[in-house]
Amino acid sequence: MEPSHLPTMNLSVTNQSACPEVNVPFPVFFTIGVVSLLENALVVVAVICNRNLHSPMYCFICSLAAFNTTASLAKTFETVMIVFADVGQLEKEGNSERKVDDVMDLLLCMSFVGSIFSFLAIAMDRYITIFYALRYHHIMTMRRTAAILGAIWTTCGVMAGLMIWFSDYKFILICFVVFFFISLVIICLLYVYMFMLARIHAREIASLPTGQSVRCQRQQRWGTSTRGALTLTILFGAFIVCWAPFSFHLIIMAVCPMNPYCECYRSLFQLHVVLLMSHALIDPAIYAYRSAELRHTFRKMFLFSK
């Protein structure tokens, strides 16, 4: 069962350079996959069960956790299949095995694209929260949020399918990488613009000739909104750190597949995959650390209290 598609297509290095391929033990892959799967599933359940979390922002966070769950499930199952193939329990080139491998690759692609779209949706939600606070509930209704989520999941499914079906074409690989970097630039510019305006608005609030109590209320509401934006900035930074080496790996595949220096970087592929999988492990920890409501929900779930 050789890797054959976009996320894993021939990415294992048949290394003819001076750099031997770095192999990560199966228990590491399996442990990261299972723990991240449980963590993100816990986030999804927490958002569903707690009515206080039934807001557009937490719906988008729940969607991001669901995409992370999909990635963890895909990589964990694929790792298990590879182990069974190595011990002769599965055929590496069997028709059924290849079809299952195609599905796992599709889910991983879908998770990657979905994470980017989720971050973009969350960034837009925070922008509206901060700069259109009085109209927020009229702009971001739950019905509109559901429509956005439906569009995100549908678009991600279609894009992932195209990536897998046409993965033999280098053009698809280039599009994958270009999409990643353009999306990063757009989201980064949006966050920079948001925080620049936030500083200006904070100064305007401080200079308003209003009563002390009114000013404190506005500053408190403003602080809550900017804290949410900061949390999502941290999440986005973790996404970049975890996915960038894998994306650079794809660039090397397209630009210099036979260069010995490039082969040295490609020899680290399994470490890049571990870092990629770790993204799904890190996100729930950031949610729990930054959100008091989520921490409270987790406590109630573990202690079975009301």
Side-chain angles (χ1 to χ4, degrees):
M1 181 171 52
E2 290 295 328
S4 57
H5 294 297
L6 189 59
T8 51
M9 56 178 182
N10 297 325
L11 296 181
S12 298
V13 183
T14 306
N15 210 325
Q16 298 177 353
S17 69
C19 303
E21 182 178 2
V22 176
N23 293 311
V24 177
F26 162 75
V28 175
F29 281 112
F30 186 77
T31 301
I32 293 176
V34 171
V35 174
S36 61
L37 177 62
L38 294 175
E39 283 185 349
N40 284 281
L42 186 63
V43 172
V44 173
V45 173
V47 173
I48 293 174
C49 293
N50 189 345
R51 289 184 175 273
N52 293 333
L53 299 177
H54 291 182
S55 64
M57 185 190 76
Y58 280 106
C59 286
F60 293 134
I61 287 180
C62 183
S63 176
L64 178 61
F67 279 119
N68 284 338
T69 302
T70 302
S72 300
L73 181 63
K75 288 307 300 177
T76 302
F77 191 75
E78 186 176 61
T79 302
V80 172
M81 289 183 65
I82 292 174
V83 170
F84 276 108
D86 289 341
V87 298
Q89 296 298 317
L90 291 174
E91 295 182 25
K92 291 189 176 183
E93 295 294 333
N95 187 50
S96 299
E97 287 78 7
R98 289 186 65 84
K99 287 182 179 179
V100 173
D101 192 47
D102 290 349
V103 173
M104 296 301 105
D105 289 347
L106 186 144
L107 292 177
L108 190 62
C109 278
M110 189 173 173
S111 172
F112 170 78
V113 178
S115 295
I116 291 180
F117 278 128
S118 295
F119 280 119
L120 185 58
I122 293 170
M124 291 303 300
D125 176 79
R126 289 297 87 194
Y127 180 86
I128 296 171
T129 302
I130 294 174
F131 301 109
Y132 298 93
L134 297 179
R135 298 172 51 201
Y136 175 77
H137 293 292
H138 297 286
I139 297 173
M140 291 301 298
T141 63
M142 291 304 293
R143 179 176 296 182
R144 190 166 292 170
T145 300
I148 293 173
L149 290 174
I152 288 176
W153 281 84
T154 302
T155 302
C156 292
V158 172
M159 290 183 66
L162 292 175
M163 289 177 183
I164 297 302
W165 293 328
F166 299 101
S167 60
D168 291 336
Y169 297 91
K170 185 176 288 188
F171 174 75
I172 294 295
L173 181 62
I174 295 174
C175 288
F176 185 88
V177 175
V178 170
F179 169 76
F180 175 73
F181 284 102
I182 289 179
S183 300
L184 294 190
V185 170
I186 292 174
I187 298 174
C188 285
L189 289 177
L190 183 60
Y191 275 119
V192 170
Y193 179 66
M194 190 188 315
F195 282 111
M196 287 177 62
L197 288 182
R199 292 186 63 184
I200 296 174
H201 279 240
R203 290 171 184 171
E204 292 176 352
I205 291 175
S207 64
L208 287 176
T210 57
Q212 187 68 25
S213 60
V214 175
R215 182 181 298 175
C216 289
Q217 288 177 359
R218 291 183 178 180
Q219 288 178 341
Q220 183 178 12
R221 185 176 62 200
W222 187 263
T224 301
S225 298
T226 53
R227 178 179 170 81
L230 180 60
T231 299
L232 299 169
T233 304
I234 295 172
L235 288 171
F236 182 61
F239 175 80
I240 294 176
V241 170
C242 292
W243 279 87
F246 178 79
S247 300
F248 189 61
H249 187 102
L250 298 181
I251 295 176
I252 284 179
M253 284 181 55
V255 175
C256 57
M258 303 304 294
N259 186 288
Y261 294 104
C262 294
E263 287 293 308
C264 283
Y265 185 82
R266 290 180 64 188
S267 68
L268 302 175
F269 171 68
Q270 291 195 18
L271 292 180
H272 301 158
V273 175
V274 168
L275 193 59
L276 179 153
M277 294 175 66
S278 297
H279 173 247
L281 193 69
I282 295 171
D283 274 4
I286 298 175
Y287 304 147
Y289 178 73
R290 301 286 299 181
S291 172
E293 188 65 39
L294 264 180
R295 288 199 304 272
H296 178 64
T297 306
F298 291 151
R299 239 184 336 260
K300 289 200 301 184
M301 292 172 64
F302 286 125
L303 299 176
F304 301 100
S305 61
K306 295 184 178 181

